[in-house]
Amino acid sequence: MDKLVETFIELAKIPSPSLGEEKVADKIIEILQEENIKAQKDDYGNVYAYIEATDNTKRPLLLSAHMDVVGDDSPVNIVVNGDIIETDKTKTLGADDKAGVAAAIRLASEVNKNKNLSHGGLELVFTRDEEQSMTGIHHLDFSNLESEYILVLDSSELGKFEISGASYTKLDVTVTTKTGGHSGLDIDKKDRINAAKIIADYVKVAPIGVINEDELGVVTSANLGCIVGGGIERTLKAAAKEKNPHKFISKNCTDNVINTIACAHYSIRSSNAWYEKELIDAYKNIADTIKKKYGELVDIELEVTEHLKPFEKSDDNTLVTIGREAAKKTGLRLDVSSFHAGAETHIYANEKNKYNKTFKPVLIGIADIKNMHSPNECINTKTYLEGYKFLKQFFEEFNA
């Protein structure tokens, strides 16, 4: 069995749920130290390793992957079926992201052993808690990192080379009306505006779906999470026990009251900060238009909460150029694209290294990983070896 695959299986057998990565972190350090590579934990439990440059005129490169997996701390039973590695279907495999961890370790080992290789240094960062809250990368001391260029080994498809990624922002719209009343006795009074009706008017014109896109894919999108309004208070507890709580609430709401409060919740994703701001401004303008129509009878409040800044495309094409050259030499089909979700690339892209240079990360896939985050998760080792070949060639091209 190939050493890369052996290392992956060795790590995958160790349970490492988010914030429970201590044992796998210790194993990673043990493996690296056996290869005479300096490795240690930081104050938060992330693992950092470094191979010194053999040529100080060249630039260092950072490989990053996360140690935690979706799941608990119960045993991981590995099953190998030809080119497929999976579990006994009782829990996730954890190829997300131990495939990335193992590949980084094996490359570091080969680089360290090859004394004839001229390179600018190799840094490794293995983080905690990526799957849950990304507290690991948020606790990194970026000012200690030498590299400007970063490969985050955490995509699920061989050949993916993702150079931008969407933000994750939440927007809450709250409508309050000045005066409620009885739906029969007060229905003819012009100052009784139903808040549920106003939120419906807002949602009707507020943009959702794909807002804009470019040659890399979707740039900005919005999704309506929920609409809440009306006399639902007395039904909430009972609805939790129902098979269809939404229908139960609707049928059993208080319908003889003119409602005075209603809400809508949206999520916004964008890999372009300017487009995101433009969209949020559009939501605000809709609220202003409705408020102008009703005057003091209606108030609409918008609350914007940023959960993840966008990973914007860099003007520096260094990694793309090198990636294409490495792919050409290894016969890999490289898919340079954007992804409409979050990853640790987003954090790196908004931070600076010890030389005050903004990090330039890409998210790459070095294997086909199917059914991630489920007991059916599996990795194709044939694609894994192809991905590792590309990674090794990339390092050589980076230092050419």
Side-chain angles (χ1 to χ4, degrees), residues 72-285:
D72 55 27
D73 59 359
S74 60
V76 184
N77 301 311
I78 303 294
V79 177
V80 179
N81 291 316
D83 292 333
I84 302 299
I85 301 176
E86 55 191 346
T87 69
D88 60 358
K89 312 296 187 182
T90 59
K91 64 179 302 182
T92 59
L93 175 64
D96 173 22
D97 186 26
K98 288 175 180 174
V101 174
I105 290 173
R106 293 318 335 148
L107 181 63
S109 174
E110 291 198 41
V111 169
N112 197 49
K113 288 176 180 177
N114 188 351
K115 302 306 180 184
N116 295 321
L117 178 63
S118 176
H119 64 83
L122 179 62
E123 291 183 288
L124 308 180
V125 168
F126 303 125
T127 57
R128 304 181 65 195
D129 192 33
E130 188 272 351
E131 297 290 2
Q132 188 168 281
S133 303
M134 289 195 183
T135 58
I137 192 167
H138 280 296
H139 280 80
L140 275 182
D141 186 350
F142 299 103
S143 65
N144 284 333
L145 300 180
E146 299 271 346
S147 303
E148 178 182 359
Y149 298 99
I150 302 173
L151 301 183
V152 178
L153 312 178
D154 192 22
S155 189
S156 62
E157 186 178 336
L158 176 64
K160 283 290 186 182
F161 201 87
E162 294 165 313
I163 60 175
S164 62
S167 62
Y168 185 38
T169 298
K170 296 185 179 184
L171 185 142
D172 289 282
V173 182
T174 302
V175 171
T176 54
T177 54
K178 189 173 183 180
T179 308
H182 192 283
S183 64
L185 300 176
D186 299 314
I187 200 70
D188 62 333
K189 297 176 181 177
K190 304 301 182 184
D191 64 338
R192 310 301 169 95
I193 310 296
N194 193 311
K197 192 269 184 189
I198 300 301
I199 203 69
D201 290 346
Y202 186 96
V203 169
K204 181 180 179 180
V205 296
I208 63 169
V210 175
I211 309 302
N212 47 50
E213 52 191 322
D214 62 15
E215 69 280 0
L216 297 177
V218 177
V219 177
T220 308
S221 70
N223 183 57
L224 175 61
C226 70
I227 307 170
V228 180
I232 63 172
E233 293 83 0
R234 69 183 179 86
T235 67
L236 292 177
K237 188 173 182 179
K241 303 176 183 178
E242 295 293 320
K243 184 177 181 180
N244 190 333
H246 300 80
K247 187 174 181 180
F248 179 85
I249 289 173
S250 179
K251 290 183 67 175
N252 293 278
C253 69
T254 303
D255 57 12
N256 64 347
V257 171
I258 298 174
N259 307 298
T260 58
I261 186 167
C263 306
H265 177 80
Y266 293 85
S267 64
I268 296 171
R269 298 179 185 271
S270 182
S271 55
N272 183 295
W274 191 90
Y275 283 147
E276 180 177 294
K277 181 181 182 303
E278 183 180 54
L279 179 58
I280 292 171
D281 286 343
Y283 280 109
K284 292 177 179 177
N285 289 338

Side-chain angles (χ1 to χ4, degrees), residues 53-60 118-121 398-400:
T54 58
D55 184 346
N56 290 324
T57 67
K58 298 180 183 294
R59 304 161 296 188
S118 176
H119 64 83
F398 186 82
N399 287 284

Side-chain angles (χ1 to χ4, degrees), residues 218 321 334 338 348:
V218 177
T321 301
L334 200 67
S338 177
Y348 282 120

